[in-house]
Amino acid sequence: MSSAAAVSSTTLPPHGVEEKTVLEELSLPILLADRVIKSAQEAESSKQDCSDLAKQLDRLSQMLRSAVRLAISTPLYDRPLRRIASDITKNLDRARTPVRKCKKHSGVFRQVFCITTIADFRKVSSLLESSIGDMKWLLSIFESDGGAHLSLPPIASNDPILAWVWSSISAVQMGQVKDRDGAANQLASLALDNDRNKMMIVEEGGIFPLLKLLKEGASAEARIAAATALFNIANGKQRVRLIVEALETSMIVGVLGDSPITVQISVANLVARMADLDDYAREEFMRLNVTRPLMSLLSNHLNLQVVSDKPVKTSIPSLVEMNQRLAYKNIKANYNRDSSSRGGAHNKKRLMETPGVQLKLKVSYAEALWKLSKGSLSNSRKITEMKGLLCLATIVEREKGELQFNCLMTIMEITAVAESNADFRHAAFKPNLPGGKKVLDQLLRLIQEESDPKLQIPAIRSIGCLARTFSTRETRIMGPLVCHLGNKNVDIATEAAMALGKFACPENFNCSEHSKAIIEFNGVPPLMRLLLSGDQAQLQGLVLLCYLALNAGTSKALVQARALNALERTARSVLAQHPEMKGLVAKAIHLLIRYQAGATPSRQSLAS
């Protein structure tokens, strides 16, 4: 077996089995080398070959002892050392065989043994030379004052990436301060190439040194390099889970409120990616209360002026505005109390950054909040408890571009969570609360005034998620949604149908009143046209039409639009793909036949 093949056969100990210490790993090959040297010195035949072998073994033994001294004096990056020590042990085992054959033998057998060991000596000598080369490379990266090495040890001759990963991780963990950012950038570049490199960095123990550099790096460049490497590695759920299970996510959270602005941007991007890919990571970040620094710093960057410079009036709106200002002052005061003196210095530097860099930071924080709130009741609740809805809605109102979009998507994810949790929905989105009112105002503004589907669709979806929050007295919502049923953009029209379906569904207490309002806003004609569109549009249109039939089947608008015919026609194609809707469709057809005159026998049979 070649030395490169030996690498692939070396595996980590089984789960639950304690890994040997570095000194234990090195003691076995040292002991074995001493024994083989002694046997070589006692050889009766092939004395020159045994002598040459003993010299190689002695050199290798000295190198192993040097590694022991290093391990005693300083914490080592031990992954390559363990792999190389294991490979050396196998090669020493092979060296014992020809040496043993050179002990006392007599007659013909002695000559045969001498002849057969010549090839063995050459093979073993080559293996030992490879082991010497491995140890020479290993000691060079441990003792070097420079950064990552691009030289190759024999053990990695068939896989150069392995050597680069080892030397880069070693430099990140043990190298000079000035070289660590270069090594981290090398890992970031390797991770960017392919998933195999990413897994190799993880399996070779690169996560903890990168996290440590991220937290304790002497320069912003080094910490950004570490964050970039982790970001490139964490592009799959499995690798994100490995980072989380390393129990070092607290390092990531700690950096957010206590770093230069450029570092915070990189770390916020890392949090966003991890939260997006793994729900376990989202909950772990929740446990560490990561939403607090994100929300606090985002609002801290936002100069909220909720009232004008007019004299204060003792009206209810004025009191609400005063409460809003007090709430945000409390958020900022809480954050300032928790910030360290180092963090305070970073806050001052942040104010001196260019507007472009500050905008980048806001965008990163908003994206992190978006990904953290996705499907997470705990994170969504924490955001709303910090008056986050008011902050997010204000940004949606004032900003444009990526920052506005990220805040809107955060609102959309929070409303999606609220849709499935009545207690949270009622607590966070009461219409009389400043945050809930501001969110509704901005969602309606986007629906009515924006023309970009990228903004309109999440705004419509958010309104739909909150359908069970609104009473029949809230008259501003239905008109804009119905208007978009006829939107030329089928995706927007489909989203409007889906949202209206949540107003008209039986689970909504006010479904009858909402259904009548949809019809009164002339929603039936555009709904009939939507049923002629693609699969998803047909599905959502059919669902809405069924609800209208259940709640307002006697409506003249449905009769005039020949809703029964449209329902029957659309149902045939939709039910083939969605058989679970058969009961709803049959009930809707039955009610339309019952309420409308002129039903035919074929319709009766379809309804049954």
Side-chain angles (χ1 to χ4, degrees):
M1 182 187 298
S2 68
S3 58
V7 174
S8 62
S9 66
T10 304
T11 58
L12 295 176
H15 180 70
V17 177
E18 187 174 349
E19 191 175 40
K20 292 180 181 179
T21 66
V22 171
L23 296 181
E24 288 171 340
E25 289 281 5
L26 291 171
S27 62
L28 178 58
I30 290 173
L31 181 62
L32 202 53
D34 290 345
R35 288 178 179 175
V36 179
I37 290 171
K38 184 178 180 182
S39 296
Q41 291 170 345
E42 297 172 351
E44 293 293 329
S45 62
S46 302
K47 290 185 177 182
Q48 185 59 48
D49 290 329
C50 287
S51 176
D52 293 341
L53 203 66
K55 291 177 183 177
Q56 285 182 298
L57 291 166
D58 183 66
R59 186 181 178 192
L60 184 59
S61 177
Q62 294 303 318
M63 288 180 168
L64 289 167
R65 285 178 165 83
S66 296
V68 169
R69 288 191 290 272
L70 282 173
I72 292 173
S73 63
T74 183
L76 296 178
Y77 167 56
D78 62 359
R79 193 59 59 99
L81 189 151
R82 292 178 184 275
R83 299 277 286 271
I84 289 172
S86 175
D87 192 72
I88 290 173
T89 300
K90 293 175 184 177
N91 290 341
L92 289 171
D93 272 332
R94 293 179 184 127
R96 295 170 66 183
T97 302
V99 171
R100 278 202 305 261
K101 291 179 181 179
C102 294
K103 292 209 173 178
K104 270 193 177 183
H105 297 284
S106 61
V108 176
F109 290 103
R110 175 176 175 176
Q111 295 174 4
V112 172
F113 275 111
C114 290
I115 293 171
T116 56
T117 55
I118 293 175
D120 292 339
F121 273 116
R122 289 175 180 171
K123 183 177 180 180
V124 168
S125 178
S126 176
L127 292 174
L128 292 179
E129 202 59 41
S130 293
S131 293
I132 290 170
D134 289 336
M135 285 302 301
K136 184 178 179 181
W137 177 87
L138 184 65
L139 293 174
S140 72
I141 68 168
F142 286 164
E143 297 173 340
S144 172
D145 291 332
H149 285 228
L150 295 181
S151 59
L152 292 178
I155 196 172
S157 58
N158 290 344
D159 192 358
I161 300 298
L162 179 64
W164 296 342
V165 167
W166 277 346
S167 63
S168 296
I169 295 175
S170 177
V172 169
Q173 179 173 321
M174 303 167 51
Q176 297 293 314
V177 172
K178 61 184 177 62
D179 298 313
R180 293 185 180 183
D181 58 337
N185 279 322
Q186 174 70 19
L187 290 173
S189 178
L190 288 170
L192 198 59
D193 286 343
N194 55 61
D195 286 346
R196 180 180 181 271
N197 290 355
K198 294 178 181 67
M199 282 308 301
M200 187 181 291
I201 294 169
V202 172
E203 290 169 354
E204 297 305 324
I207 297 300
F208 182 79
L210 287 170
L211 286 169
K212 189 171 172 53
L213 181 63
L214 174 64
K215 182 182 180 183
E216 302 173 0
S219 67
E221 289 75 14
R223 300 172 83 180
I224 292 170
T228 303
L230 289 166
F231 180 84
N232 292 346
I233 291 168
N235 74 331
K237 183 174 181 178
Q238 180 186 7
R239 289 182 290 277
V240 170
R241 184 65 59 90
L242 288 172
I243 295 174
V244 175
E245 289 179 346
L247 301 179
E248 301 299 339
T249 43
S250 58
M251 289 186 180
I252 298 173
V253 176
V255 173
L256 281 173
D258 188 19
S259 304
I261 186 170
T262 50
V263 177
Q264 291 182 32
I265 291 170
S266 297
V267 175
N269 292 338
L270 175 62
V271 170
R273 170 167 281 190
M274 292 177 66
D276 187 39
L277 293 172
D278 187 16
D279 53 355
Y280 180 69
R282 283 196 293 273
E283 295 311 306
E284 181 65 14
F285 281 129
M286 181 280 300
R287 186 184 67 80
L288 296 168
N289 207 11
V290 72
T291 52
R292 181 184 181 87
L294 287 170
M295 198 68 250
S296 297
L297 289 167
L298 186 62
S299 63
N300 206 28
H301 282 77
L302 188 63
N303 184 21
L304 285 173
Q305 298 292 337
V306 290
V307 293
S308 64
D309 295 328
K310 297 177 182 178
V312 177
K313 300 178 182 178
T314 56
S315 63
I316 292 177
S318 297
L319 293 173
V320 170
E321 290 168 344
M322 290 171 64
N323 287 334
Q324 291 172 357
R325 286 201 297 173
L326 287 172
Y328 274 93
K329 285 181 179 179
N330 288 335
I331 291 175
K332 293 176 183 178
N334 289 337
Y335 175 72
N336 289 334
R337 282 198 299 270
D338 292 341
S339 296
S340 64
S341 58
R342 180 178 167 188
H346 290 311
N347 289 338
K348 291 178 181 177
K349 290 181 180 178
R350 187 183 303 117
L351 296 176
M352 300 172 63
E353 291 286 356
T354 63
V357 175
Q358 292 191 37
L359 176 61
K360 227 176 154 183
L361 180 65
K362 298 175 191 177
V363 168
S364 297
Y365 280 171
E367 183 181 9
L369 288 169
W370 165 18
K371 304 301 183 180
L372 285 163
S373 59
K374 184 173 69 174
S376 174
L377 174 62
S378 49
N379 281 329
S380 297
R381 181 176 281 130
K382 282 182 177 291
I383 292 171
T384 59
E385 286 173 352
M386 295 186 68
K387 314 299 181 187
L389 290 177
L390 183 59
C391 174
L392 294 167
T394 302
I395 294 175
V396 169
E397 178 184 28
R398 298 180 182 179
E399 300 291 342
K400 295 292 181 183
E402 200 173 356
L403 177 57
Q404 181 190 43
F405 175 73
N406 287 348
C407 288
L408 176 59
M409 295 303 290
T410 306
I411 291 173
M412 187 192 76
E413 295 296 350
I414 294 173
T415 60
V417 171
E419 181 180 18
S420 58
N421 190 288
D423 291 340
F424 175 58
R425 184 170 66 248
H426 295 150
F429 290 96
K430 287 181 180 177
N432 59 337
L433 291 178
K437 182 179 182 302
K438 187 77 171 180
V439 164
L440 178 58
D441 290 344
Q442 292 311 306
L443 293 176
L444 289 174
R445 182 184 67 81
L446 292 176
I447 292 172
Q448 292 174 292
E449 299 178 9
E450 284 290 340
S451 58
D452 186 355
K454 186 179 177 182
L455 298 175
Q456 286 184 315
I457 288 175
I460 293 171
R461 187 172 300 174
S462 299
I463 290 285
C465 290
L466 298 176
R468 282 181 281 178
T469 304
F470 306 117
S471 68
T472 55
R473 290 175 294 177
E474 180 56 78
T475 58
R476 298 180 296 162
I477 299 171
M478 209 59 68
L481 289 180
V482 170
C483 181
H484 281 299
L485 270 179
N487 197 297
K488 292 180 181 179
N489 185 311
V490 176
D491 292 334
I492 295 176
T494 303
E495 199 66 49
M498 190 184 305
L500 289 169
K502 294 178 180 180
F503 280 87
C505 70
E507 289 78 16
N508 193 311
F509 181 77
N510 296 312
C511 59
S512 295
E513 290 79 2
H514 290 319
S515 297
K516 292 172 184 175
I518 293 171
I519 294 172
E520 289 173 3
F521 277 103
N522 202 29
V524 175
L527 178 57
M528 295 299 106
R529 292 192 295 272
L530 187 64
L531 292 174
L532 302 175
S533 301
D535 293 344
Q536 185 64 17
Q538 279 190 337
L539 173 62
Q540 299 304 327
L542 182 63
V543 170
L544 177 56
L545 182 56
C546 287
Y547 290 152
L548 294 182
L550 296 182
N551 299 322
T554 57
S555 169
K556 291 182 179 180
L558 292 176
V559 176
Q560 292 170 355
R562 299 175 65 85
L564 182 56
N565 288 338
L567 185 55
E568 291 174 337
R569 181 181 62 251
T570 309
R572 292 188 182 95
S573 58
V574 172
L575 291 179
Q577 299 295 324
H578 301 277
E580 71 279 1
M581 286 188 57
K582 186 175 180 180
L584 175 62
V585 170
K587 188 174 181 181
I589 291 175
H590 174 75
L591 288 175
L592 285 177
I593 292 173
R594 177 181 173 185
Y595 292 143
Q596 297 179 21
T600 62
S602 62
R603 289 173 176 166
Q604 292 283 2
S605 63
L606 179 58
S608 62

